[in-house]
Amino acid sequence: MSLKEFGNIIDFQEKISFIKDFFLEFYNGEIDFFNSPIKYFRTRAEFSFYHDNHKIYYAMFDPKTKKKIIIDNIDFPDKKICDFMPILLEKIETNINLKEKLFGVEFLATKHELSTTLLYHKNIETINQDLANLSSKLNCNLIARSKNKKLVFNHENLKQSLLIGDKEIFYEFNNDCFIQPNTFINEKMISWVKESLAFEVKKDLLELYCGYGNFTLALADDFSKILATEISKNNIHFALKNCELNDVKNIYFVRLSSEELSQALKKERDFFRLRQFNLDDFHFSHVLVDPPRAGLDKSVIDLIKQYDNIIYISCNPISLKENLKVLNQTHKITKMAIFDQFANTPHLECATLLTKS
Ligand SMILES: C[S@@+](CC[C@H](N)C(=O)[O-])C[C@H]1O[C@@H](n2cnc3c(N)ncnc32)[C@H](O)[C@@H]1O
């Protein structure tokens, strides 16, 4: 099956056989598979608005044909989002100030809360009171955005908790953080990583692309110390907060791009942000990477291949395969899993454990 054809696969069984063939040159062992629920699985959902005379509709645009699709009855976003969508639409439709120049909406749900962001092509200060009334009538966390402006009604930060094994881990984040889009699958991924490492000898962990500490907090008990890095200031702000929420003391979060971290570890460059650390105090037995779709660049691959054990989480099998071509020269895959990130779409998440050969 070609890569082009893979873009059309939505059936989970077909995804499994594609992945088995696709990675066969690196790994022919068992692959663990995790199915997503087929309804109410997506924590983030974004829609456009389509205005037709006095009516307003949620809409999406077909990425291939660019045609608009009116969204009426959907069941893939979190149940809280599905239930709230018609209620919100009805309120907006009856208020010209709220309706005018409204072009998009973003919903974000955790297990406990929902946040709604309305996107406007006008100065939102002029409808401040209407937005405040909307938030108070619907008792919802509301954010409004227009060019260079943001207004928050009720609260912006959302609370989340994940059950990993028999332990509950607590998180807080906002809409600007990277958020795993399927909470059920996220719990499965973190648990899979923890269980896969259970019988390994572990010292310190180096984590790159750590976000707000999604994996990091759950792995704190497994390692002596963790150095976790990430490019986004906002993600690191919440990562530090999440350490406090869970009373975790052995994680050191630092805002550094992976490329900067690589320079720091090679002692090519000093960083003020690392002034309180002696990098020589860390003895990394494992490195965990969870990069964006593009995968790892050469400098990061050169960095991680120094370590005995690599945990590679990937949302793109194509860049993962490219990176494995290089990593396979020094490491062998010992375990692999795929996670159905968005049921009925070609998306999936791969997790791979590699050990120095
Ligand atoms: C796929 S997300 C994973 C986040 C986290 N592991 C999680 O599960 O929520 C990738 C993360 O990498 C960060 N990122 C993107 N480019 C980066 C870079 N060059 N160096 C470090 N972090 C980067 C993004 O801000 C994002 O938080």
Side-chain angles (χ1 to χ4, degrees), residues 260-271:
E260 288 170 332
L261 173 72
S262 168
Q263 292 173 321
L265 286 166
K266 282 194 234 154
K267 302 201 190 302
E268 287 173 357
R269 196 176 147 192
D270 285 334
F271 288 89

Side-chain angles (χ1 to χ4, degrees), residues 63-74:
K64 285 184 190 142
T65 63
K66 307 276 179 248
K67 276 193 169 165
K68 119 184 132 281
I69 306 162
I70 303 275
I71 307 293
D72 193 13
N73 203 351
I74 46 167

Side-chain angles (χ1 to χ4, degrees), residues 19-30:
I19 287 294
K20 280 186 169 162
D21 284 355
F22 195 60
F23 290 106
L24 196 59
E25 64 184 283
F26 307 116
Y27 184 66
N28 63 6
E30 286 294 309

Side-chain angles (χ1 to χ4, degrees), residues 9-155:
I9 303 177
I10 57 169
D11 175 74
F12 191 53
Q13 290 307 322
E14 283 184 42
K15 288 188 198 177
I16 293 173
S17 54
F18 171 81
I19 287 294
K20 280 186 169 162
D21 284 355
F22 195 60
F23 290 106
L24 196 59
E25 64 184 283
F26 307 116
Y27 184 66
N28 63 6
E30 286 294 309
I31 300 182
D32 298 327
F33 300 107
F34 296 87
N35 249 319
S36 164
I38 53 164
K39 278 184 176 185
Y40 306 130
F41 56 84
R42 205 173 158 145
T43 54
R44 217 188 238 288
E46 294 163 16
F47 302 100
S48 301
F49 282 107
Y50 171 61
H51 297 251
D52 185 20
N53 288 325
H54 299 297
K55 295 282 286 172
I56 180 170
Y57 303 91
Y58 293 110
M60 285 170 91
F61 289 89
D62 185 310
K64 285 184 190 142
T65 63
K66 307 276 179 248
K67 276 193 169 165
K68 119 184 132 281
I69 306 162
I70 303 275
I71 307 293
D72 193 13
N73 203 351
I74 46 167
D75 61 10
F76 63 86
D78 184 279
K79 182 87 168 61
K80 289 186 282 309
I81 300 177
C82 293
D83 290 347
F84 187 63
M85 284 175 69
I87 299 170
L88 177 70
L89 198 66
E90 197 192 318
K91 286 277 177 244
I92 291 175
E93 206 158 51
T94 54
N95 181 322
I96 181 79
N97 293 341
L98 292 174
K99 190 164 61 172
E100 207 178 52
K101 305 265 185 210
L102 172 65
F103 70 93
V105 61
E106 296 168 3
F107 297 104
L108 175 62
T110 68
K111 284 182 183 175
H112 320 287
E113 291 184 283
L114 172 66
S115 147
T116 303
T117 304
L118 296 175
L119 310 170
Y120 282 93
H121 281 311
K122 67 177 173 188
N123 181 356
I124 47 176
E125 297 287 0
T126 60
I127 56 166
N128 194 326
Q129 195 52 51
D130 297 275
L131 291 161
N133 293 345
L134 180 70
S135 163
S136 118
K137 269 194 196 135
L138 298 182
N139 188 22
C140 67
N141 300 316
L142 183 68
I143 301 168
R145 284 184 188 268
S146 60
K147 201 174 175 206
N148 301 329
K149 287 212 162 73
K150 175 166 120 182
L151 296 173
V152 177
F153 305 90
N154 220 338
H155 58 263

Side-chain angles (χ1 to χ4, degrees), residues 177-180 186 189-190 207-216 229-232 235 256-260 288-293 297 300 313 315 349:
C177 290
F178 172 86
I179 291 144
Q180 292 286 350
N186 191 24
M189 278 197 300
I190 300 172
E207 185 185 354
L208 282 65
Y209 313 96
C210 66
Y212 59 77
N214 181 46
F215 284 92
T216 336
T229 59
E230 153 71 48
I231 201 168
S232 146
N235 282 343
L256 282 177
S257 75
S258 298
E259 300 72 19
E260 288 170 332
L288 188 155
V289 290
D290 181 11
R293 285 192 73 72
D297 72 12
V300 180
I313 313 291
C315 56
E349 200 85 10

Side-chain angles (χ1 to χ4, degrees), residues 188-230:
K188 296 282 172 214
M189 278 197 300
I190 300 172
S191 303
W192 184 87
V193 170
K194 253 183 110 70
E195 285 161 21
S196 302
L197 299 179
F199 300 106
E200 295 199 2
V201 176
K202 299 179 282 295
K203 293 180 194 158
D204 297 335
L205 172 69
L206 176 63
E207 185 185 354
L208 282 65
Y209 313 96
C210 66
Y212 59 77
N214 181 46
F215 284 92
T216 336
L217 270 308
L219 293 174
D221 291 344
D222 297 280
F223 291 90
S224 305
K225 299 191 284 308
I226 303 181
L227 177 64
T229 59
E230 153 71 48

Side-chain angles (χ1 to χ4, degrees), residues 321-334:
K321 186 169 179 175
E322 280 308 303
N323 291 165
L324 286 178
K325 285 180 187 160
V326 185
L327 291 170
N328 191 50
Q329 293 162 11
T330 48
H331 290 68
K332 291 286 162 263
I333 299 182
T334 53

